Amino acid sequence: MHDRLFEHQKHGVAFLYRLYREGRKGGILADDMGLGKTIQIIAFLSGMFDAQLVHSVLLVMPVTLVNNWKQEFAKWAPGIRVKVFHGTSKKERRQHLHQIQTGKGVLLTSYQMILANWEQLSSCDQQAFVWDYLILDEAHKIKSPSAKTTKALGAIPARNRVLLTGTPVQNNLQELWSLFDFACQGSLLGTAKTFKMEYENPITRAREKDATLGEKALGLKIAENLMSLIQPHFLRRSKDEIQKLRSDQPMGSPCPNTLEVPSLPRKNDFIVWVYLSRIQEEIYRNFLSLDHIKEVLMTTRSPLAELTLLKKLCDHPRLLSSQACLQLGLENPSQEDGEDSVGLTQEIQNVSEKVLIQESGKLTFLIALLEKLREEGHKTLVFSLSRKMLDIIEGILTQRHIKFMRIDGTVTCLLEREKRVRDFQKDRSYSVFLLTTQVGGVGLTLTAATRVVIFDPSWNPATDMQAVDRIYRIGQKENVVIYRLITCGTVEEKIYRRQVFKDSLIRQSTGDKKNPYRYFTKQELRELFVLTDTSQSLTQLQLQSLHGTQRNSDAILDEHIAYLYSLEMFGISDHDLMYTSETSHEEADDDEAHQYIQDRVHKAQEMVRFESQLKETK
């Protein structure tokens, strides 16, 4: 099996074995999605079983991936006994568990099963049972240490823990702490409180554009220290990094018995800045002028409900709830709205296609784009956070005889889900796949598509990254284009700025970039309840001035971009060019400041070391 691995995958297997050999309690394999973390785990376990170094492995994953793992074990390591702890039959689950615990092999189960069955998984024949390995796939599921699933998993005894995730940090550094606290069983980064105070706060403050030189220098040194602490337990490779290693290798130099990683095609990741429709802007301004919104800004309670409403409005006004329509006086059309208008509470199927499209700037752009991409023979994935938005798009595609497939949270049968993926991959007549971001963004390979539309940005940059990686992975042979639709001047533009900020934290704290460029100030990140000039995007203008001449393109893409500019939108930014440059090295002003930073770094390191040792002795 070893000879069938790519070079980076062999390094991954060596990393996992080194953790075992050096007696480390756990680690995180955090390769980019699509680089074969599954294969690396199977290869590692195959070697460990052959050497009789392990007997029992519990492997936990989202329910949608259970079949995939089972198939991959059968393909790559048929000699390993693999049983599934899932399904409605308690008797069958009990038998499978007993076979693995008393014999040897791998037990596959889901996060859902863990919640109700962690006690059963922790014992055998009425005695405590300790697994040789507890391995979590899509391990960001335990990013919250207080979540029931995290606590249930933590109660299952295991000598070694390995976490797999392409997104080790999604929102903040507390999530990184949570993953390492679980993997290393509390023996690495101290308590959550100390980590936040000594590491997260200075690193986060240093990423803000208006941070002082001293704050930036402190944050940089603290981040370097954090990397040195986690490095022995952490391995992360990006697709760009693997491709660069491949291109840097002299011709004819690969070692014998080494498979060469297939080159990935070009990827252009665009932000398309679209306009609000007239009715969207009118409702948006009315909503912001409500006394209710002024009260929200004066209190400390979470404004999430109001922000969610604004996000829906940016997609389509018909996503608003009946209560919101009533609050804004939108349940019935006014006379001046014209004969095509209908009240926003009317059933979608009773509204004409023309009206539905006119009411949303994004939908106007999307339908024109999908028609063009179908003409050119491209298959396109369309992701939205809203099922109702997909309903609207589905209705229009049906009327225009555009053949599509769809997966959302209502498709619960795994076999049906797999059939839809298989049909889309093989049948050229399907030109669009509609997916909800939460469901379709995980565990699917859809490399028959070459275009992705992210209809609405997520608060969490990793969620959108996962959607993109459905098509941009090993096996993709065509150039890929991503379209992230964002409305000018709205809450979406602010969400995108926050995504950029979170992404800079991820890059610095996981070693992708030592000191990424700072794009936005703290104040800019706060202005969520302000509707700026909707006829332009200040973010687009800023990014254009920084990266306008760096786009990797060709004549065909240039022609396509010219077409995009003929549609109703303000402009395009190149998301894939973010962080292509680093900020120059920032040092403290004087000896006193330099000494202060050294003292802070030493204090942080000593505190987490002391707390970790205390945890180990308990």
Side-chain angles (χ1 to χ4, degrees):
M1 181 179 178
H2 192 258
D3 292 343
R4 294 157 66 194
L5 300 179
F6 297 125
E7 194 61 28
H8 75 276
Q9 292 172 337
K10 291 179 181 178
H11 290 159
V13 173
F15 160 74
L16 294 167
Y17 180 65
R18 180 172 54 76
L19 289 175
Y20 173 83
R21 191 186 68 235
E22 294 176 0
R24 300 187 187 277
K25 291 182 177 179
I28 300 176
L29 181 59
D31 286 347
D32 248 357
M33 289 160 279
L35 288 180
K37 293 186 288 293
T38 302
I39 307 309
Q40 293 173 65
I41 285 291
I42 293 172
F44 167 68
L45 291 178
S46 176
M48 295 292 279
F49 276 113
D50 286 348
Q52 297 188 355
L53 295 173
V54 296
H55 292 90
S56 58
V57 176
L58 180 61
L59 215 164
V60 188
M61 65 214 64
V63 63
T64 53
L65 299 183
V66 172
N67 277 353
N68 181 64
W69 271 97
K70 190 178 176 183
Q71 289 163 8
E72 292 298 321
F73 268 106
K75 176 183 172 183
W76 290 88
I80 298 177
R81 177 193 284 157
V82 176
K83 295 293 179 182
V84 174
F85 188 86
H86 202 269
T88 54
S89 170
K90 289 185 178 181
K91 182 182 177 183
E92 188 177 83
R93 293 202 310 257
R94 191 167 57 248
Q95 285 175 344
H96 287 178
L97 174 60
H98 193 259
Q99 284 171 339
I100 296 298
Q101 287 180 330
T102 56
K104 68 175 184 178
V106 177
L107 189 71
L108 307 180
T109 191
S110 68
Y111 288 101
Q112 288 170 252
M113 276 285 150
I114 291 293
L115 269 176
N117 300 281
W118 66 268
E119 288 177 289
Q120 186 183 356
L121 291 163
S122 303
S123 63
C124 179
D125 297 331
Q126 297 184 328
Q127 290 187 328
F129 182 82
V130 181
W131 294 87
D132 289 322
Y133 270 87
L134 173 58
I135 301 173
L136 309 187
D137 191 15
E138 302 289 349
H140 43 269
K141 298 278 184 189
I142 62 157
K143 64 186 179 183
S144 170
S146 59
K148 289 180 181 177
T149 304
T150 311
K151 289 179 176 179
L153 283 162
I156 298 173
R159 294 179 182 87
N160 303 280
R161 294 176 178 178
V162 173
L163 309 189
L164 309 178
T165 173
T167 53
V169 183
Q170 296 193 339
N171 291 293
N172 55 58
L173 294 184
Q174 280 290 307
E175 295 172 358
L176 189 74
W177 176 86
S178 180
L179 263 60
F180 275 106
D181 187 66
F182 183 90
C184 300
Q185 303 182 47
S187 65
L188 188 66
L189 295 179
T191 62
K193 184 179 177 182
T194 295
F195 179 82
K196 183 174 179 63
M197 185 170 60
E198 300 298 334
Y199 284 94
E200 183 179 17
N201 289 348
I203 291 172
T204 303
R205 176 57 187 148
R207 295 300 334 130
E208 290 157 8
K209 195 173 183 180
D210 49 349
T212 66
L213 187 61
E215 288 170 332
K216 291 175 183 176
L218 174 61
L220 186 62
K221 291 298 181 187
I222 289 284
E224 287 175 358
N225 181 253
L226 176 59
M227 272 306 299
S228 72
L229 285 176
I230 68 175
Q231 188 270 331
H233 302 265
F234 186 72
L235 182 64
R236 176 172 176 79
R237 282 82 55 88
S238 67
K239 294 191 191 79
D240 289 344
E241 187 183 332
I242 300 298
Q243 291 298 304
K244 189 173 186 307
L245 286 172
R246 183 184 184 280
S247 60
D248 288 348
Q249 201 171 52
M251 289 291 286
S253 67
C255 306
N257 300 326
T258 296
L259 279 179
E260 194 174 345
V261 181
S263 63
L264 277 168
R266 187 185 67 224
K267 178 182 74 170
N268 290 92
D269 195 338
F270 295 142
I271 305 294
V272 182
W273 300 96
V274 297
Y275 302 118
L276 290 175
S277 69
R278 182 187 59 79
I279 188 172
Q280 281 175 302
E281 183 168 349
E282 186 182 319
I283 296 169
Y284 203 116
R285 292 193 185 281
N286 288 345
F287 184 72
L288 291 184
S289 67
L290 291 174
D291 290 340
H292 169 64
I293 295 299
K294 291 166 190 169
E295 287 167 17
V296 166
L297 294 175
M298 298 297 288
T299 64
T300 55
R301 80 166 180 81
S302 169
L304 190 59
E306 290 74 21
L307 292 172
T308 301
L309 188 149
L310 288 176
K311 275 182 97 284
K312 286 180 178 179
L313 180 54
C314 291
D315 285 350
H316 202 290
R318 292 189 184 274
L319 302 185
L320 300 183
S321 65
S322 301
Q323 185 184 355
C325 289
L326 195 66
Q327 195 177 17
L328 289 157
L330 300 169
E331 63 275 29
N332 293 306
S334 59
Q335 291 301 309
E336 62 260 31
D337 285 336
E339 59 182 33
D340 280 333
S341 269
V342 289
L344 290 181
T345 54
Q346 187 160 339
E347 292 293 325
I348 288 167
Q349 58 265 35
N350 298 329
V351 184
S352 73
E353 175 192 310
K354 179 184 173 186
V355 169
L356 284 173
I357 294 173
Q358 282 177 347
E359 287 175 341
S360 166
K362 284 189 184 182
L363 195 55
T364 303
F365 177 88
L366 175 71
I367 298 303
L369 176 66
L370 291 180
E371 292 274 20
K372 179 71 171 175
L373 294 176
R374 181 175 66 155
E375 276 175 38
E376 295 175 351
H378 293 293
K379 284 177 173 255
T380 306
L381 311 184
V382 178
F383 286 93
S384 175
L385 295 164
S386 162
R387 282 216 312 261
K388 191 173 178 183
M389 190 66 235
L390 291 186
D391 291 342
I392 294 172
I393 298 168
E394 178 178 322
I396 295 168
L397 295 182
T398 302
Q399 288 184 35
R400 297 197 172 206
H401 306 292
I402 297 175
K403 198 172 179 185
F404 64 89
M405 195 63 80
R406 176 167 172 172
I407 287 180
D408 57 37
T410 63
V411 185
T412 54
C413 174
L414 288 180
L415 292 176
E416 176 59 26
R417 180 181 158 111
E418 288 168 7
K419 181 183 182 300
R420 293 186 189 191
V421 169
R422 193 165 56 247
D423 289 349
F424 180 80
Q425 286 282 90
K426 291 180 178 176
D427 188 340
R428 295 185 63 83
S429 66
Y430 288 102
S431 64
V432 177
F433 206 139
L434 303 177
L435 304 115
T436 47
T437 312
Q438 304 89 324
V439 175
V442 178
L444 299 180
T445 296
L446 293 163
T447 46
T450 57
R451 302 291 183 263
V452 174
V453 178
I454 297 174
F455 197 80
D456 34 22
S458 168
W459 286 103
N460 181 344
T463 303
D464 292 346
M465 277 166 48
Q466 286 181 317
V468 170
D469 281 324
R470 297 312 97 214
I471 71 169
Y472 192 63
R473 58 203 297 128
I474 292 172
Q476 180 57 264
K477 294 177 173 60
E478 304 293 327
N479 289 339
V480 165
V481 180
I482 317 300
Y483 312 84
R484 300 170 187 253
L485 309 189
I486 298 183
T487 44
C488 295
T490 67
V491 67
E492 288 191 324
E493 186 159 350
K494 280 79 171 180
I495 289 173
Y496 179 66
R497 287 172 170 252
R498 287 191 168 215
Q499 275 198 352
V500 170
F501 179 76
K502 288 176 183 178
D503 207 25
S504 75
L505 277 179
I506 294 166
R507 287 168 185 269
Q508 186 167 25
S509 57
T510 59
D512 281 4
K513 286 280 181 181
K514 190 174 182 183
N515 195 13
Y517 184 84
R518 293 174 185 82
Y519 287 91
F520 310 116
T521 66
K522 198 167 195 173
Q523 183 58 29
E524 286 173 319
L525 293 168
R526 280 177 176 158
E527 293 171 349
L528 289 167
F529 286 102
V530 177
L531 183 64
T532 54
D533 185 353
T534 57
S535 67
Q536 63 174 2
S537 162
L538 296 178
T539 308
Q540 193 275 344
L541 294 171
Q542 180 182 349
L543 297 181
Q544 181 70 17
S545 67
L546 287 166
H547 304 297
T549 60
Q550 299 172 357
R551 181 179 298 145
N552 184 8
S553 188
D554 58 23
I556 295 171
L557 185 61
D558 288 344
E559 186 180 332
H560 180 64
I561 290 168
Y563 166 75
L564 296 180
Y565 272 97
S566 74
L567 302 177
E568 287 186 53
M569 59 99 175
F570 173 69
I572 291 171
S573 300
D574 294 83
H575 182 74
D576 49 322
L577 294 178
M578 301 293 277
Y579 307 112
T580 47
S581 56
E582 292 196 19
T583 303
S584 57
H585 196 60
E586 291 154 336
E587 290 287 354
D589 291 352
D590 51 45
D591 290 343
E592 188 178 338
H594 186 70
Q595 186 59 49
Y596 168 75
I597 289 169
Q598 279 190 320
D599 291 345
R600 278 291 303 270
V601 172
H602 180 71
K603 176 195 167 198
Q605 191 167 321
E606 287 304 305
M607 283 186 75
V608 298
R609 181 180 292 155
F610 172 73
E611 289 179 348
S612 298
Q613 287 173 345
L614 205 62
K615 181 91 177 267
E616 278 191 287
T617 56
K618 282 184 179 179

